[in-house]
mmCIF file of all heavy atoms in Angstrom:
data_model
loop_
_atom_site.group_PDB
_atom_site.id
_atom_site.type_symbol
_atom_site.label_atom_id
_atom_site.label_comp_id
_atom_site.label_asym_id
_atom_site.label_seq_id
_atom_site.Cartn_x
_atom_site.Cartn_y
_atom_site.Cartn_z
ATOM 1 N N LYS A 1114 -2.947 -18.839 -5.286
ATOM 2 C CA LYS A 1114 -3.677 -17.821 -4.530
ATOM 3 C C LYS A 1114 -4.099 -16.705 -5.485
ATOM 4 O O LYS A 1114 -3.413 -16.401 -6.454
ATOM 5 C CB LYS A 1114 -2.790 -17.255 -3.414
ATOM 6 C CG LYS A 1114 -2.426 -18.280 -2.340
ATOM 7 C CD LYS A 1114 -3.623 -18.689 -1.535
ATOM 8 C CE LYS A 1114 -3.278 -19.713 -0.469
ATOM 9 N NZ LYS A 1114 -2.478 -19.159 0.627
ATOM 10 N N ARG A 1115 -5.239 -16.082 -5.170
ATOM 11 C CA ARG A 1115 -5.802 -15.053 -6.045
ATOM 12 C C ARG A 1115 -6.073 -13.786 -5.234
ATOM 13 O O ARG A 1115 -6.679 -13.832 -4.160
ATOM 14 C CB ARG A 1115 -7.098 -15.566 -6.669
ATOM 15 C CG ARG A 1115 -7.788 -14.554 -7.588
ATOM 16 C CD ARG A 1115 -9.115 -15.116 -8.064
ATOM 17 N NE ARG A 1115 -8.937 -16.176 -9.053
ATOM 18 C CZ ARG A 1115 -9.770 -17.201 -9.204
ATOM 19 N NH1 ARG A 1115 -10.809 -17.340 -8.406
ATOM 20 N NH2 ARG A 1115 -9.549 -18.095 -10.148
ATOM 21 N N MET A 1116 -5.626 -12.641 -5.769
ATOM 22 C CA MET A 1116 -5.826 -11.343 -5.105
ATOM 23 C C MET A 1116 -6.697 -10.431 -5.952
ATOM 24 O O MET A 1116 -6.481 -10.300 -7.162
ATOM 25 C CB MET A 1116 -4.484 -10.638 -4.859
ATOM 26 C CG MET A 1116 -4.634 -9.208 -4.348
ATOM 27 S SD MET A 1116 -3.094 -8.273 -4.306
ATOM 28 C CE MET A 1116 -2.362 -8.930 -2.811
ATOM 29 N N LEU A 1117 -7.652 -9.775 -5.314
ATOM 30 C CA LEU A 1117 -8.393 -8.681 -5.932
ATOM 31 C C LEU A 1117 -7.646 -7.397 -5.602
ATOM 32 O O LEU A 1117 -7.540 -7.017 -4.433
ATOM 33 C CB LEU A 1117 -9.823 -8.624 -5.388
ATOM 34 C CG LEU A 1117 -10.715 -7.527 -5.975
ATOM 35 C CD1 LEU A 1117 -10.931 -7.742 -7.472
ATOM 36 C CD2 LEU A 1117 -12.068 -7.480 -5.262
ATOM 37 N N LEU A 1118 -7.095 -6.755 -6.622
ATOM 38 C CA LEU A 1118 -6.244 -5.580 -6.438
ATOM 39 C C LEU A 1118 -7.033 -4.311 -6.768
ATOM 40 O O LEU A 1118 -7.290 -4.000 -7.927
ATOM 41 C CB LEU A 1118 -5.017 -5.686 -7.343
ATOM 42 C CG LEU A 1118 -4.037 -4.517 -7.322
ATOM 43 C CD1 LEU A 1118 -3.485 -4.272 -5.920
ATOM 44 C CD2 LEU A 1118 -2.895 -4.767 -8.320
ATOM 45 N N ILE A 1119 -7.407 -3.569 -5.726
ATOM 46 C CA ILE A 1119 -8.158 -2.321 -5.866
ATOM 47 C C ILE A 1119 -7.164 -1.182 -5.718
ATOM 48 O O ILE A 1119 -6.671 -0.897 -4.609
ATOM 49 C CB ILE A 1119 -9.283 -2.227 -4.825
ATOM 50 C CG1 ILE A 1119 -10.236 -3.421 -4.948
ATOM 51 C CG2 ILE A 1119 -10.060 -0.919 -4.970
ATOM 52 C CD1 ILE A 1119 -11.302 -3.484 -3.860
ATOM 53 N N HIS A 1120 -6.831 -0.529 -6.814
ATOM 54 C CA HIS A 1120 -5.734 0.440 -6.821
ATOM 55 C C HIS A 1120 -5.879 1.287 -8.080
ATOM 56 O O HIS A 1120 -6.727 1.031 -8.924
ATOM 57 C CB HIS A 1120 -4.412 -0.324 -6.838
ATOM 58 C CG HIS A 1120 -3.267 0.387 -6.174
ATOM 59 N ND1 HIS A 1120 -3.233 1.735 -5.929
ATOM 60 C CD2 HIS A 1120 -2.067 -0.107 -5.720
ATOM 61 C CE1 HIS A 1120 -2.101 2.050 -5.336
ATOM 62 N NE2 HIS A 1120 -1.363 0.957 -5.203
ATOM 63 N N ASP A 1121 -5.009 2.305 -8.231
ATOM 64 C CA ASP A 1121 -5.056 3.102 -9.465
ATOM 65 C C ASP A 1121 -4.098 2.514 -10.499
ATOM 66 O O ASP A 1121 -3.212 1.720 -10.179
ATOM 67 C CB ASP A 1121 -4.713 4.574 -9.185
ATOM 68 C CG ASP A 1121 -3.285 4.770 -8.742
ATOM 69 O OD1 ASP A 1121 -2.901 4.253 -7.665
ATOM 70 O OD2 ASP A 1121 -2.526 5.435 -9.469
ATOM 71 N N LEU A 1122 -4.332 2.910 -11.753
ATOM 72 C CA LEU A 1122 -3.534 2.424 -12.876
ATOM 73 C C LEU A 1122 -2.880 3.611 -13.573
ATOM 74 O O LEU A 1122 -3.565 4.469 -14.122
ATOM 75 C CB LEU A 1122 -4.421 1.654 -13.856
ATOM 76 C CG LEU A 1122 -3.759 1.189 -15.157
ATOM 77 C CD1 LEU A 1122 -2.621 0.242 -14.866
ATOM 78 C CD2 LEU A 1122 -4.789 0.514 -16.062
ATOM 79 N N CYS A 1123 -1.540 3.673 -13.517
ATOM 80 C CA CYS A 1123 -0.768 4.731 -14.183
ATOM 81 C C CYS A 1123 -0.069 4.139 -15.386
ATOM 82 O O CYS A 1123 0.673 3.168 -15.258
ATOM 83 C CB CYS A 1123 0.275 5.315 -13.243
ATOM 84 S SG CYS A 1123 -0.364 5.989 -11.711
ATOM 85 N N SER A 1124 -0.257 4.752 -16.554
ATOM 86 C CA SER A 1124 0.345 4.202 -17.768
ATOM 87 C C SER A 1124 1.860 4.310 -17.769
ATOM 88 O O SER A 1124 2.555 3.372 -18.138
ATOM 89 C CB SER A 1124 -0.222 4.926 -18.994
ATOM 90 O OG SER A 1124 -1.598 4.662 -19.128
ATOM 91 N N ALA A 1125 2.413 5.459 -17.365
ATOM 92 C CA ALA A 1125 3.859 5.670 -17.379
ATOM 93 C C ALA A 1125 4.345 6.087 -16.007
ATOM 94 O O ALA A 1125 3.621 6.725 -15.239
ATOM 95 C CB ALA A 1125 4.237 6.731 -18.412
ATOM 96 N N GLY A 1126 5.587 5.725 -15.698
ATOM 97 C CA GLY A 1126 6.187 6.151 -14.438
ATOM 98 C C GLY A 1126 6.383 5.059 -13.418
ATOM 99 O O GLY A 1126 6.983 5.283 -12.375
ATOM 100 N N LYS A 1127 5.853 3.866 -13.664
ATOM 101 C CA LYS A 1127 6.041 2.715 -12.764
ATOM 102 C C LYS A 1127 5.533 2.992 -11.352
ATOM 103 O O LYS A 1127 6.311 3.301 -10.438
ATOM 104 C CB LYS A 1127 7.504 2.301 -12.725
ATOM 105 C CG LYS A 1127 8.042 1.814 -14.053
ATOM 106 C CD LYS A 1127 9.441 1.266 -13.885
ATOM 107 C CE LYS A 1127 10.037 0.864 -15.214
ATOM 108 N NZ LYS A 1127 11.410 0.347 -15.074
ATOM 109 N N ALA A 1128 4.251 2.854 -11.185
ATOM 110 C CA ALA A 1128 3.643 3.028 -9.860
ATOM 111 C C ALA A 1128 2.364 2.207 -9.802
ATOM 112 O O ALA A 1128 1.880 1.697 -10.811
ATOM 113 C CB ALA A 1128 3.351 4.501 -9.584
ATOM 114 N N ALA A 1129 1.831 2.083 -8.589
ATOM 115 C CA ALA A 1129 0.526 1.468 -8.351
ATOM 116 C C ALA A 1129 0.422 0.074 -8.989
ATOM 117 O O ALA A 1129 1.299 -0.752 -8.819
ATOM 118 C CB ALA A 1129 -0.586 2.409 -8.829
ATOM 119 N N MET A 1130 -0.648 -0.157 -9.753
ATOM 120 C CA MET A 1130 -0.861 -1.483 -10.345
ATOM 121 C C MET A 1130 0.297 -1.932 -11.230
ATOM 122 O O MET A 1130 0.633 -3.134 -11.275
ATOM 123 C CB MET A 1130 -2.144 -1.492 -11.183
ATOM 124 C CG MET A 1130 -3.404 -1.567 -10.375
ATOM 125 S SD MET A 1130 -4.831 -1.759 -11.477
ATOM 126 C CE MET A 1130 -6.138 -2.025 -10.266
ATOM 127 N N MET A 1131 0.915 -0.994 -11.938
ATOM 128 C CA MET A 1131 1.978 -1.357 -12.877
ATOM 129 C C MET A 1131 3.219 -1.878 -12.162
ATOM 130 O O MET A 1131 4.057 -2.552 -12.776
ATOM 131 C CB MET A 1131 2.329 -0.184 -13.789
ATOM 132 C CG MET A 1131 1.175 0.245 -14.692
ATOM 133 S SD MET A 1131 0.487 -1.124 -15.661
ATOM 134 C CE MET A 1131 1.878 -1.517 -16.708
ATOM 135 N N ASN A 1132 3.367 -1.577 -10.877
ATOM 136 C CA ASN A 1132 4.428 -2.177 -10.086
ATOM 137 C C ASN A 1132 3.965 -3.471 -9.416
ATOM 138 O O ASN A 1132 4.700 -4.452 -9.350
ATOM 139 C CB ASN A 1132 4.903 -1.205 -9.008
ATOM 140 C CG ASN A 1132 5.880 -0.175 -9.540
ATOM 141 O OD1 ASN A 1132 6.066 -0.055 -10.742
ATOM 142 N ND2 ASN A 1132 6.488 0.576 -8.647
ATOM 143 N N MET A 1133 2.742 -3.465 -8.929
ATOM 144 C CA MET A 1133 2.294 -4.587 -8.111
ATOM 145 C C MET A 1133 1.979 -5.846 -8.932
ATOM 146 O O MET A 1133 2.278 -6.965 -8.509
ATOM 147 C CB MET A 1133 1.075 -4.176 -7.286
ATOM 148 C CG MET A 1133 1.401 -3.138 -6.230
ATOM 149 S SD MET A 1133 0.061 -2.851 -5.037
ATOM 150 C CE MET A 1133 0.061 -4.404 -4.129
ATOM 151 N N ILE A 1134 1.386 -5.671 -10.105
ATOM 152 C CA ILE A 1134 0.972 -6.849 -10.881
ATOM 153 C C ILE A 1134 2.159 -7.734 -11.276
ATOM 154 O O ILE A 1134 2.126 -8.948 -11.045
ATOM 155 C CB ILE A 1134 0.144 -6.426 -12.103
ATOM 156 C CG1 ILE A 1134 -1.221 -5.857 -11.643
ATOM 157 C CG2 ILE A 1134 -0.094 -7.625 -13.028
ATOM 158 C CD1 ILE A 1134 -2.047 -5.252 -12.761
ATOM 159 N N PRO A 1135 3.231 -7.196 -11.865
ATOM 160 C CA PRO A 1135 4.335 -8.085 -12.243
ATOM 161 C C PRO A 1135 5.018 -8.737 -11.047
ATOM 162 O O PRO A 1135 5.427 -9.897 -11.116
ATOM 163 C CB PRO A 1135 5.298 -7.168 -13.017
ATOM 164 C CG PRO A 1135 4.898 -5.787 -12.679
ATOM 165 C CD PRO A 1135 3.453 -5.816 -12.369
ATOM 166 N N VAL A 1136 5.159 -8.002 -9.951
ATOM 167 C CA VAL A 1136 5.798 -8.571 -8.766
ATOM 168 C C VAL A 1136 4.969 -9.723 -8.206
ATOM 169 O O VAL A 1136 5.483 -10.812 -7.935
ATOM 170 C CB VAL A 1136 6.005 -7.487 -7.689
ATOM 171 C CG1 VAL A 1136 6.394 -8.111 -6.354
ATOM 172 C CG2 VAL A 1136 7.076 -6.491 -8.140
ATOM 173 N N LEU A 1137 3.681 -9.490 -8.019
ATOM 174 C CA LEU A 1137 2.818 -10.538 -7.479
ATOM 175 C C LEU A 1137 2.740 -11.744 -8.420
ATOM 176 O O LEU A 1137 2.706 -12.893 -7.978
ATOM 177 C CB LEU A 1137 1.428 -9.982 -7.211
ATOM 178 C CG LEU A 1137 1.329 -9.061 -5.983
ATOM 179 C CD1 LEU A 1137 0.079 -8.195 -6.052
ATOM 180 C CD2 LEU A 1137 1.338 -9.875 -4.701
ATOM 181 N N SER A 1138 2.700 -11.465 -9.712
ATOM 182 C CA SER A 1138 2.616 -12.557 -10.694
ATOM 183 C C SER A 1138 3.836 -13.459 -10.624
ATOM 184 O O SER A 1138 3.707 -14.691 -10.634
ATOM 185 C CB SER A 1138 2.454 -11.987 -12.104
ATOM 186 O OG SER A 1138 1.242 -11.276 -12.226
ATOM 187 N N VAL A 1139 5.026 -12.876 -10.550
ATOM 188 C CA VAL A 1139 6.238 -13.693 -10.522
ATOM 189 C C VAL A 1139 6.354 -14.440 -9.195
ATOM 190 O O VAL A 1139 7.021 -15.480 -9.133
ATOM 191 C CB VAL A 1139 7.492 -12.819 -10.788
ATOM 192 C CG1 VAL A 1139 7.967 -12.113 -9.520
ATOM 193 C CG2 VAL A 1139 8.619 -13.643 -11.392
ATOM 194 N N MET A 1140 5.651 -13.963 -8.162
ATOM 195 C CA MET A 1140 5.644 -14.655 -6.875
ATOM 196 C C MET A 1140 4.539 -15.712 -6.805
ATOM 197 O O MET A 1140 4.313 -16.316 -5.760
ATOM 198 C CB MET A 1140 5.491 -13.639 -5.738
ATOM 199 C CG MET A 1140 6.678 -12.708 -5.604
ATOM 200 S SD MET A 1140 6.523 -11.511 -4.244
ATOM 201 C CE MET A 1140 6.950 -12.562 -2.845
ATOM 202 N N GLY A 1141 3.858 -15.931 -7.931
ATOM 203 C CA GLY A 1141 2.883 -17.004 -8.001
ATOM 204 C C GLY A 1141 1.492 -16.660 -7.569
ATOM 205 O O GLY A 1141 0.680 -17.543 -7.274
ATOM 206 N N ILE A 1142 1.160 -15.365 -7.569
ATOM 207 C CA ILE A 1142 -0.175 -14.916 -7.179
ATOM 208 C C ILE A 1142 -0.949 -14.483 -8.424
ATOM 209 O O ILE A 1142 -0.430 -13.711 -9.251
ATOM 210 C CB ILE A 1142 -0.113 -13.719 -6.197
ATOM 211 C CG1 ILE A 1142 0.853 -14.027 -5.039
ATOM 212 C CG2 ILE A 1142 -1.486 -13.342 -5.699
ATOM 213 C CD1 ILE A 1142 0.479 -15.231 -4.224
ATOM 214 N N GLU A 1143 -2.181 -14.974 -8.571
ATOM 215 C CA GLU A 1143 -3.040 -14.502 -9.650
ATOM 216 C C GLU A 1143 -3.644 -13.168 -9.231
ATOM 217 O O GLU A 1143 -4.306 -13.066 -8.200
ATOM 218 C CB GLU A 1143 -4.154 -15.494 -9.933
ATOM 219 C CG GLU A 1143 -5.118 -15.038 -11.029
ATOM 220 C CD GLU A 1143 -6.307 -15.940 -11.225
ATOM 221 O OE1 GLU A 1143 -6.336 -17.048 -10.651
ATOM 222 O OE2 GLU A 1143 -7.250 -15.521 -11.932
ATOM 223 N N VAL A 1144 -3.411 -12.130 -10.036
ATOM 224 C CA VAL A 1144 -3.883 -10.785 -9.701
ATOM 225 C C VAL A 1144 -5.081 -10.420 -10.574
ATOM 226 O O VAL A 1144 -5.008 -10.516 -11.797
ATOM 227 C CB VAL A 1144 -2.764 -9.734 -9.909
ATOM 228 C CG1 VAL A 1144 -3.240 -8.360 -9.418
ATOM 229 C CG2 VAL A 1144 -1.495 -10.153 -9.187
ATOM 230 N N CYS A 1145 -6.151 -9.998 -9.928
ATOM 231 C CA CYS A 1145 -7.354 -9.538 -10.627
ATOM 232 C C CYS A 1145 -7.506 -8.042 -10.366
ATOM 233 O O CYS A 1145 -7.977 -7.630 -9.299
ATOM 234 C CB CYS A 1145 -8.582 -10.295 -10.124
ATOM 235 S SG CYS A 1145 -8.468 -12.078 -10.347
ATOM 236 N N PRO A 1146 -7.065 -7.186 -11.299
ATOM 237 C CA PRO A 1146 -7.075 -5.739 -11.059
ATOM 238 C C PRO A 1146 -8.470 -5.130 -11.171
ATOM 239 O O PRO A 1146 -9.235 -5.454 -12.088
ATOM 240 C CB PRO A 1146 -6.153 -5.192 -12.142
ATOM 241 C CG PRO A 1146 -6.194 -6.200 -13.231
ATOM 242 C CD PRO A 1146 -6.431 -7.530 -12.585
ATOM 243 N N LEU A 1147 -8.789 -4.258 -10.243
ATOM 244 C CA LEU A 1147 -10.032 -3.508 -10.256
ATOM 245 C C LEU A 1147 -9.661 -2.043 -10.031
ATOM 246 O O LEU A 1147 -9.520 -1.602 -8.886
ATOM 247 C CB LEU A 1147 -10.974 -4.020 -9.161
ATOM 248 C CG LEU A 1147 -12.453 -3.650 -9.247
ATOM 249 C CD1 LEU A 1147 -13.058 -4.072 -10.585
ATOM 250 C CD2 LEU A 1147 -13.228 -4.277 -8.100
ATOM 251 N N PRO A 1148 -9.438 -1.271 -11.111
ATOM 252 C CA PRO A 1148 -8.894 0.085 -10.965
ATOM 253 C C PRO A 1148 -9.897 1.079 -10.387
ATOM 254 O O PRO A 1148 -11.083 1.035 -10.691
ATOM 255 C CB PRO A 1148 -8.518 0.470 -12.400
ATOM 256 C CG PRO A 1148 -9.397 -0.367 -13.264
ATOM 257 C CD PRO A 1148 -9.607 -1.661 -12.520
ATOM 258 N N THR A 1149 -9.359 1.971 -9.555
ATOM 259 C CA THR A 1149 -10.163 3.056 -8.988
ATOM 260 C C THR A 1149 -10.039 4.336 -9.812
ATOM 261 O O THR A 1149 -10.914 5.196 -9.766
ATOM 262 C CB THR A 1149 -9.695 3.364 -7.558
ATOM 263 O OG1 THR A 1149 -8.290 3.683 -7.585
ATOM 264 C CG2 THR A 1149 -9.921 2.169 -6.655
ATOM 265 N N MET A 1150 -8.927 4.445 -10.534
ATOM 266 C CA MET A 1150 -8.652 5.660 -11.298
ATOM 267 C C MET A 1150 -7.621 5.342 -12.377
ATOM 268 O O MET A 1150 -6.710 4.556 -12.143
ATOM 269 C CB MET A 1150 -8.108 6.747 -10.354
ATOM 270 C CG MET A 1150 -7.963 8.116 -10.960
ATOM 271 S SD MET A 1150 -7.570 9.347 -9.669
ATOM 272 C CE MET A 1150 -9.103 9.370 -8.735
#
Side-chain angles (χ1 to χ4, degrees):
K1114 295 292 180 70
R1115 179 185 287 149
M1116 172 190 281
L1117 181 63
L1118 178 59
I1119 302 174
H1120 209 341
D1121 66 296
L1122 174 61
C1123 302
S1124 295
K1127 296 187 184 179
M1130 283 187 173
M1131 296 307 295
N1132 279 10
M1133 293 191 69
I1134 292 173
V1136 168
L1137 286 161
S1138 296
V1139 83
M1140 294 181 79
I1142 310 300
E1143 178 186 350
V1144 186
C1145 301
L1147 197 56
T1149 57
M1150 189 171 292

